[in-house]
Coordinates of all heavy atoms in Angstrom, one line a residue:
M1 N -2.2 -12.6 -1.1 CA -2.6 -11.6 -2.0 C -1.4 -10.8 -2.5 O -0.3 -10.8 -1.9 CB -3.6 -10.6 -1.2 CG -3.1 -9.7 -0.2 SD -4.2 -9.1 0.9 CE -5.2 -7.9 -0.2
K2 N -1.5 -10.1 -3.6 CA -0.5 -9.3 -4.1 C -0.8 -7.8 -4.0 O -1.8 -7.4 -4.5 CB -0.2 -9.7 -5.5 CG 1.2 -9.4 -6.0 CD 1.4 -10.4 -7.2 CE 2.7 -9.9 -7.9 NZ 3.9 -9.6 -7.0
I3 N 0.1 -7.1 -3.2 CA -0.2 -5.7 -3.1 C 0.9 -4.9 -3.7 O 2.1 -5.1 -3.6 CB -0.1 -5.3 -1.4 CG1 -1.0 -6.3 -0.7 CG2 -0.5 -3.9 -1.3 CD1 -1.0 -6.1 0.7
K4 N 0.6 -3.8 -4.6 CA 1.5 -3.2 -5.2 C 1.0 -1.7 -5.3 O -0.1 -1.2 -5.3 CB 1.3 -3.7 -6.8 CG 2.6 -3.3 -7.5 CD 2.6 -3.9 -8.9 CE 3.7 -3.7 -9.8 NZ 4.0 -2.1 -9.9
V5 N 2.2 -0.8 -5.0 CA 1.9 0.6 -5.1 C 2.5 1.1 -6.4 O 3.6 0.8 -6.7 CB 2.6 1.3 -3.9 CG1 2.5 2.9 -4.0 CG2 2.0 0.8 -2.6
D6 N 1.8 1.8 -7.2 CA 2.2 2.5 -8.3 C 3.1 3.7 -8.0 O 2.4 4.7 -7.7 CB 1.0 2.9 -9.3 CG 1.5 3.4 -10.6 OD1 2.5 4.1 -10.7 OD2 0.7 3.1 -11.6
K7 N 4.3 3.7 -8.1 CA 5.1 4.8 -7.7 C 5.0 6.0 -8.5 O 5.3 7.2 -8.1 CB 6.7 4.3 -8.0 CG 7.1 3.5 -6.8 CD 8.7 3.3 -7.0 CE 9.1 2.2 -6.2 NZ 10.4 1.7 -6.6
E8 N 4.5 5.8 -9.7 CA 4.2 7.2 -10.6 C 3.0 7.8 -9.9 O 3.0 9.0 -10.0 CB 4.0 6.7 -12.0 CG 5.0 5.9 -12.7 CD 6.3 6.7 -12.8 OE1 6.3 7.8 -13.0 OE2 7.3 6.1 -12.5
L9 N 2.1 7.2 -9.4 CA 0.9 7.7 -8.9 C 1.0 8.2 -7.5 O 0.4 9.2 -7.1 CB -0.3 6.8 -9.0 CG -1.0 6.4 -10.4 CD1 -2.0 5.3 -10.2 CD2 -1.6 7.7 -11.1
C10 N 1.8 7.5 -6.7 CA 1.9 7.8 -5.3 C 2.5 9.3 -5.1 O 3.5 9.6 -5.8 CB 2.8 6.7 -4.6 SG 3.2 7.2 -2.9
I11 N 1.8 10.0 -4.2 CA 2.4 11.3 -3.9 C 2.9 11.4 -2.6 O 3.3 12.4 -2.0 CB 1.1 12.3 -4.0 CG1 0.0 11.9 -3.1 CG2 0.6 12.6 -5.4 CD1 -1.2 13.0 -2.9
G12 N 3.2 10.3 -2.0 CA 3.9 10.2 -0.6 C 3.1 10.9 0.5 O 3.8 11.4 1.5
C13 N 1.9 10.9 0.6 CA 1.0 11.5 1.6 C 1.1 10.7 2.8 O 0.6 11.5 3.8 CB -0.4 11.7 1.0 SG -1.3 10.2 0.9
Q14 N 1.4 9.6 2.8 CA 1.6 8.7 4.0 C 0.2 8.3 4.6 O 0.2 7.8 5.8 CB 2.5 9.4 5.1 CG 3.7 9.8 4.6 CD 4.9 10.3 5.6 OE1 4.7 9.8 6.8 NE2 5.8 10.8 5.3
T15 N -0.8 8.5 4.0 CA -2.1 8.0 4.5 C -2.1 6.5 4.7 O -2.7 6.1 5.7 CB -3.3 8.5 3.5 OG1 -3.2 9.8 3.4 CG2 -4.7 8.2 4.1
C16 N -1.6 5.8 3.7 CA -1.7 4.4 3.7 C -0.8 3.8 4.9 O -1.1 2.9 5.7 CB -1.3 3.8 2.5 SG 0.4 4.3 2.0
V17 N 0.2 4.5 5.2 CA 1.1 4.1 6.3 C 0.5 4.4 7.6 O 0.5 3.6 8.5 CB 2.5 4.8 6.3 CG1 3.4 4.4 7.4 CG2 3.3 4.6 4.9
A18 N -0.1 5.5 7.8 CA -1.0 5.8 9.0 C -2.1 4.8 9.3 O -2.3 4.5 10.4 CB -1.4 7.3 8.9
S19 N -2.8 4.4 8.1 CA -3.9 3.5 8.3 C -3.3 2.0 8.7 O -4.0 1.4 9.3 CB -4.6 3.5 6.9 OG -5.1 4.8 6.6
C20 N -2.2 1.8 8.0 CA -1.8 0.4 8.0 C -0.3 0.2 8.0 O 0.2 -0.2 6.9 CB -2.5 -0.5 7.1 SG -2.3 -2.4 7.4
P21 N 0.4 0.5 9.1 CA 1.9 0.2 9.1 C 2.2 -1.1 8.9 O 3.5 -1.4 8.7 CB 2.2 1.0 10.4 CG 1.0 1.0 11.3 CD -0.1 1.1 10.4
E22 N 1.3 -2.0 9.1 CA 1.8 -3.5 8.9 C 2.0 -3.8 7.6 O 2.8 -4.7 7.2 CB 0.7 -4.4 9.5 CG 0.5 -4.5 11.0 CD -0.4 -3.4 11.5 OE1 -0.7 -2.4 10.8 OE2 -0.9 -3.6 12.5
S23 N 1.3 -3.0 6.6 CA 1.3 -3.3 5.2 C 2.1 -2.3 4.3 O 2.8 -2.8 3.4 CB -0.1 -3.3 4.6 OG -0.8 -4.4 5.0
F24 N 2.2 -1.1 4.8 CA 3.0 0.1 4.1 C 4.1 0.7 4.8 O 3.9 0.9 6.1 CB 2.0 0.9 3.5 CG 1.0 0.3 2.7 CD1 -0.3 0.0 3.2 CD2 1.2 -0.2 1.2 CE1 -1.4 -0.7 2.5 CE2 0.2 -0.9 0.6 CZ -1.0 -1.1 1.0
Q25 N 5.0 1.1 4.1 CA 6.2 2.0 4.7 C 6.5 3.0 3.6 O 6.4 2.8 2.4 CB 7.3 1.0 4.9 CG 8.1 1.4 6.1 CD 9.1 0.3 6.3 OE1 10.0 -0.1 5.7 NE2 9.1 -0.3 7.6
I26 N 7.0 4.1 3.9 CA 7.5 5.1 3.1 C 9.0 4.8 2.8 O 9.8 4.7 3.7 CB 7.4 6.6 3.5 CG1 5.9 7.0 3.7 CG2 7.9 7.5 2.7 CD1 5.0 7.1 2.4
N27 N 9.4 4.8 1.5 CA 10.9 4.4 1.2 C 11.6 5.6 1.1 O 11.2 6.8 1.4 CB 10.9 3.5 -0.1 CG 10.6 4.3 -1.3 OD1 10.3 5.5 -1.3 ND2 10.5 3.5 -2.4
E28 N 12.9 5.5 0.8 CA 13.9 6.5 0.8 C 13.6 7.6 -0.4 O 14.0 8.7 -0.3 CB 15.3 6.1 0.6 CG 15.7 5.3 -0.6 CD 15.2 3.7 -0.6 OE1 14.7 3.4 0.5 OE2 15.3 3.2 -1.5
E29 N 12.8 7.2 -1.3 CA 12.2 8.3 -2.4 C 11.0 8.9 -1.9 O 10.5 9.7 -2.8 CB 11.9 7.3 -3.7 CG 13.1 6.6 -4.2 CD 12.8 5.7 -5.3 OE1 11.7 5.9 -5.9 OE2 13.6 4.8 -5.6
G30 N 10.4 8.6 -0.8 CA 9.3 9.3 -0.3 C 8.1 8.7 -0.9 O 7.0 9.4 -0.7
K31 N 8.1 7.5 -1.4 CA 6.9 6.7 -1.9 C 6.6 5.7 -1.0 O 7.6 5.0 -0.4 CB 7.3 6.2 -3.3 CG 7.7 7.3 -4.3 CD 6.7 8.3 -4.8 CE 7.2 9.1 -5.7 NZ 6.3 9.9 -6.6
S32 N 5.4 5.3 -1.0 CA 4.9 4.1 -0.2 C 5.3 2.7 -1.0 O 5.3 2.7 -2.2 CB 3.5 4.2 -0.1 OG 3.0 3.0 0.4
V33 N 5.8 1.8 -0.2 CA 5.9 0.4 -0.7 C 5.1 -0.6 0.3 O 5.1 -0.3 1.5 CB 7.3 0.1 -0.7 CG1 8.1 0.7 -1.9 CG2 8.1 0.4 0.5
A34 N 4.7 -1.5 -0.4 CA 4.1 -2.8 0.5 C 5.2 -3.5 1.0 O 6.1 -4.0 0.4 CB 3.3 -3.6 -0.6
I35 N 5.2 -3.6 2.4 CA 6.3 -4.4 3.1 C 5.8 -5.8 3.4 O 6.5 -6.6 4.1 CB 6.7 -3.7 4.3 CG1 5.5 -3.4 5.3 CG2 7.3 -2.3 4.0 CD1 5.8 -2.9 6.6
S36 N 4.5 -6.1 3.1 CA 4.1 -7.5 3.3 C 3.0 -7.8 2.2 O 2.4 -6.9 1.6 CB 3.5 -7.6 4.6 OG 2.8 -8.9 4.7
Q37 N 2.9 -9.1 1.8 CA 1.8 -9.4 0.9 C 0.7 -10.2 1.7 O -0.2 -10.9 1.1 CB 2.5 -10.4 -0.1 CG 3.6 -9.7 -1.0 CD 3.1 -8.5 -1.9 OE1 2.0 -8.5 -2.3 NE2 3.9 -7.5 -1.8
D38 N 0.8 -10.1 3.0 CA -0.4 -10.6 3.8 C -1.4 -9.6 4.0 O -1.1 -8.5 4.0 CB 0.3 -11.0 5.2 CG 1.2 -12.3 5.1 OD1 1.1 -13.0 4.2 OD2 2.2 -12.3 5.9
E39 N -2.6 -10.1 4.1 CA -3.8 -9.2 4.4 C -3.9 -9.1 5.9 O -4.2 -10.1 6.6 CB -4.9 -9.7 3.7 CG -6.1 -8.6 4.0 CD -7.3 -8.9 3.1 OE1 -7.4 -10.0 2.4 OE2 -8.3 -8.2 3.3
F40 N -3.8 -7.8 6.4 CA -4.1 -7.5 7.9 C -5.4 -6.9 7.9 O -6.0 -6.4 6.9 CB -2.9 -6.5 8.4 CG -1.5 -7.1 8.3 CD1 -0.7 -6.9 7.3 CD2 -1.1 -8.1 9.3 CE1 0.4 -7.6 7.3 CE2 0.1 -8.6 9.3 CZ 0.9 -8.4 8.3
P41 N -5.9 -6.8 9.2 CA -7.3 -6.1 9.3 C -7.3 -4.8 8.5 O -8.4 -4.3 8.2 CB -7.6 -6.2 10.7 CG -6.8 -7.3 11.2 CD -5.6 -7.4 10.4
C42 N -6.3 -4.0 8.7 CA -6.3 -2.6 8.1 C -5.9 -2.5 6.7 O -5.9 -1.4 6.1 CB -5.2 -1.9 9.1 SG -3.5 -2.6 9.0
T43 N -5.4 -3.7 6.1 CA -4.8 -3.5 4.7 C -5.8 -2.9 3.7 O -5.6 -1.9 3.1 CB -4.3 -4.9 4.3 OG1 -3.5 -5.3 5.1 CG2 -3.7 -4.7 2.8
M44 N -7.0 -3.4 3.6 CA -8.0 -2.9 2.7 C -8.4 -1.6 3.0 O -8.9 -0.7 2.1 CB -9.2 -4.0 2.5 CG -8.8 -5.3 1.9 SD -7.6 -5.1 0.5 CE -8.8 -4.3 -0.7
K45 N -8.6 -1.3 4.1 CA -8.9 0.1 4.6 C -7.9 1.1 4.1 O -8.2 2.2 3.5 CB -9.0 0.3 6.1 CG -9.6 1.5 6.6 CD -9.6 1.4 8.1 CE -9.6 2.9 8.8 NZ -8.5 3.1 9.7
A46 N -6.6 0.8 4.2 CA -5.4 1.6 3.7 C -5.6 1.9 2.2 O -5.4 2.8 1.7 CB -4.1 1.0 4.1
V47 N -5.9 0.7 1.6 CA -6.0 0.7 0.1 C -7.2 1.8 -0.4 O -6.9 2.6 -1.2 CB -6.3 -0.6 -0.5 CG1 -6.7 -0.6 -2.0 CG2 -5.1 -1.6 -0.3
A48 N -8.2 1.7 0.5 CA -9.4 2.4 0.2 C -9.2 4.0 0.4 O -9.7 4.8 -0.3 CB -10.6 2.0 0.9
T49 N -8.2 4.3 1.3 CA -8.1 5.6 1.8 C -7.1 6.4 0.9 O -6.7 7.5 1.0 CB -7.6 5.8 3.2 OG1 -6.7 5.0 3.5 CG2 -8.7 5.4 4.2
C50 N -6.3 5.7 0.0 CA -5.3 6.3 -0.9 C -6.0 7.3 -1.7 O -6.9 7.1 -2.5 CB -4.7 5.3 -1.7 SG -3.4 6.1 -2.8
P51 N -5.6 8.6 -1.8 CA -6.4 9.7 -2.4 C -6.2 9.5 -3.9 O -7.0 10.1 -4.7 CB -5.9 11.0 -1.9 CG -4.5 10.7 -1.4 CD -4.5 9.1 -0.9
V52 N -5.1 8.9 -4.4 CA -4.9 8.9 -5.9 C -5.0 7.5 -6.5 O -4.7 7.2 -7.5 CB -3.4 9.4 -6.2 CG1 -3.5 10.8 -5.9 CG2 -2.5 8.6 -5.4
G53 N -5.5 6.5 -5.6 CA -5.8 5.2 -6.1 C -4.6 4.5 -6.6 O -4.5 3.7 -7.4
A54 N -3.3 4.7 -5.8 CA -2.1 4.1 -6.3 C -1.9 2.7 -5.8 O -1.1 2.0 -6.4 CB -1.0 5.0 -5.8
I55 N -2.8 2.1 -4.9 CA -2.5 0.9 -4.4 C -3.3 -0.1 -5.1 O -4.6 0.1 -5.2 CB -2.7 0.7 -3.0 CG1 -2.0 1.9 -2.3 CG2 -2.3 -0.7 -2.4 CD1 -2.5 2.1 -0.8
S56 N -2.8 -1.2 -5.7 CA -3.7 -2.1 -6.3 C -3.4 -3.6 -5.5 O -2.3 -3.8 -5.0 CB -3.3 -2.3 -7.7 OG -2.0 -2.8 -8.0
V57 N -4.4 -4.3 -5.6 CA -4.4 -5.6 -4.9 C -5.0 -6.7 -5.9 O -6.0 -6.6 -6.5 CB -5.5 -5.5 -3.6 CG1 -5.5 -6.9 -2.9 CG2 -4.9 -4.5 -2.6
T58 N -4.3 -7.7 -6.0 CA -4.6 -9.0 -6.6 C -4.7 -10.1 -5.7 O -3.9 -10.4 -5.0 CB -3.6 -9.3 -7.7 OG1 -3.2 -8.0 -8.3 CG2 -4.2 -10.2 -8.7
R59 N -5.9 -10.7 -5.8 CA -6.1 -11.9 -4.9 C -5.9 -13.1 -5.8 O -6.4 -13.2 -6.8 CB -7.5 -11.9 -4.3 CG -7.7 -10.9 -3.3 CD -9.1 -11.0 -2.7 NE -9.5 -9.8 -1.9 CZ -9.1 -9.6 -0.7 NH1 -8.5 -10.4 0.0 NH2 -9.5 -8.4 0.0
E60 N -5.0 -14.1 -5.3 CA -4.8 -15.2 -6.0 C -5.8 -16.4 -5.7 O -6.0 -16.5 -4.5 CB -3.4 -15.7 -5.7 CG -2.4 -14.9 -6.5 CD -1.1 -14.7 -5.6 OE1 -0.9 -15.3 -4.5 OE2 -0.3 -13.7 -6.0
E61 N -6.4 -16.9 -6.6 CA -7.4 -18.0 -6.4 C -6.7 -19.2 -6.0 O -5.6 -19.5 -6.4 CB -8.2 -18.2 -7.7 CG -9.0 -17.0 -8.1 CD -9.9 -16.4 -7.1 OE1 -10.7 -17.2 -6.5 OE2 -10.1 -15.1 -7.0
Ligands
LIG1 S1 -2.0 6.7 0.4 FE1 -1.6 6.5 -1.7 S2 -0.5 8.3 -2.4 FE2 -0.5 8.2 -0.2 S3 1.4 7.4 0.5 FE3 0.0 5.6 0.3 S4 0.1 4.9 -1.8 FE4 1.1 6.9 -1.7

């Protein structure tokens, strides 16, 4: 799967990192970045908890 964080939308609240540190990390700009393209059990939960909908997921068929 392809996981992408929209840096313009991300407010750096760290909710996704708290929900799923396997998938997300806060970078030096204070924004979240996807650190893996693998799906972990917590990945979609983290995507759903983003308050601004900054994380997009594309599944490759
Ligand atoms: S939950 Fe959303 S707004 Fe908050 S750090 Fe993660 S991507 Fe950014």
Side-chain angles (χ1 to χ4, degrees):
M1 70 197 293
K2 202 158 169 50
I3 308 171
K4 201 173 174 313
V5 177
D6 186 326
K7 280 193 198 157
E8 304 299 318
L9 289 176
C10 175
I11 55 172
C13 69
Q14 306 195 16
T15 304
C16 57
V17 180
S19 299
C20 196
E22 289 92 334
S23 290
F24 302 99
Q25 211 171 60
I26 296 295
N27 69 7
E28 61 281 356
E29 296 166 24
K31 307 279 182 163
S32 170
V33 285
I35 53 169
S36 170
Q37 299 300 318
D38 296 328
E39 181 168 3
F40 297 95
C42 56
T43 303
M44 292 314 293
K45 189 179 152 233
V47 172
T49 54
C50 177
V52 294
I55 310 168
S56 60
V57 171
T58 312
R59 287 179 196 277
E60 282 139 18
E61 299 299 320

